[in-house]
């Protein structure tokens, strides 16, 4: 996927369209290029619940990324839903999986027709 200015679609582009301020976000996997001064890649893999981020911290992290190679990010309403034994684990309000800044899969309870239409209008343009 590319943006209107023909650059690769990055995590920051996706987050700009999501209503995520009221959710608990967990980064389960991230490998990419750009600013990661806190070593979030390692922190995400070190915990079975991923690395929990606030919305502002997630947006800040996303702004520093130049390219995403692999990314798995889950948003839930309650932090308890991230626990490995939670029946809600992996079901999230949003589940975002990215591959090489070209393929992004977004699913979840809050991803409905209106949001899908916004994404299609933003990222699915004829060449």
């Amino acid at each position: 996927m590319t943006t209107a200015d023909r650059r690769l679609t990055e995590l920051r582009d996706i987050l700009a369209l999501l209503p995520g301020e009221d959710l608990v976000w967990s980064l389960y996997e991230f490998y990419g290029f750009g600013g990661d001064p806190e070593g979030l890649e390692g922190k995400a893999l070190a915990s079975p619940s991923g690395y929990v981020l606030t919305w502002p911290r997630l947006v800040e992290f996303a702004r520093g990324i130049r390219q995403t190679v692999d990314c798995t990010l889950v948003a839930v309403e309650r932090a308890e839903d991230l626990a490995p034994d939670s029946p809600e684990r992996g079901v999230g309000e949003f589940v975002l999986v990215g591959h090489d800044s070209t393929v992004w899969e977004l699913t979840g309870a809050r991803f409905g027709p209106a949001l899908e239409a916004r994404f299609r209008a933003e990222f699915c343009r004829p060449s």
Side-chain angles (χ1 to χ4, degrees):
M1 291 186 334
T2 58
T3 61
D5 56 0
R6 301 280 187 215
R7 63 180 171 75
L8 291 175
T9 301
E10 274 305 328
L11 179 59
R12 68 181 167 272
D13 303 313
I14 306 269
L15 295 180
L17 297 177
L18 293 180
E21 301 85 4
D22 64 330
L23 298 171
V24 177
W25 292 85
S26 185
L27 188 65
Y28 280 89
E29 174 188 23
F30 181 81
Y31 175 66
F33 304 100
D36 184 14
E38 295 179 36
L40 296 186
E41 289 183 31
K43 290 178 180 179
L45 294 173
S47 169
S49 298
Y51 185 72
V52 177
L53 297 157
T54 63
W55 178 255
R57 179 63 189 100
L58 176 60
V59 170
E60 177 187 338
F61 170 69
R63 283 188 192 128
I65 298 170
R66 288 191 320 268
Q67 183 179 5
T68 300
V69 178
D70 289 303
C71 177
T72 302
L73 184 64
V74 175
V76 294
E77 290 184 339
R78 303 171 312 136
E80 304 84 61
D81 293 338
L82 295 169
D85 59 348
S86 170
E88 298 300 316
R89 183 183 165 114
V91 176
E93 298 303 304
F94 292 113
V95 177
L96 178 62
V97 178
H99 306 283
D100 201 23
S101 297
T102 56
V103 176
W104 290 93
E105 301 168 39
L106 180 62
T107 59
R110 293 193 188 184
F111 188 66
L115 192 54
E116 182 178 0
R118 286 181 64 196
F119 272 81
R120 286 188 185 282
E122 183 66 27
F123 300 118
C124 299
R125 295 184 179 90
S127 348

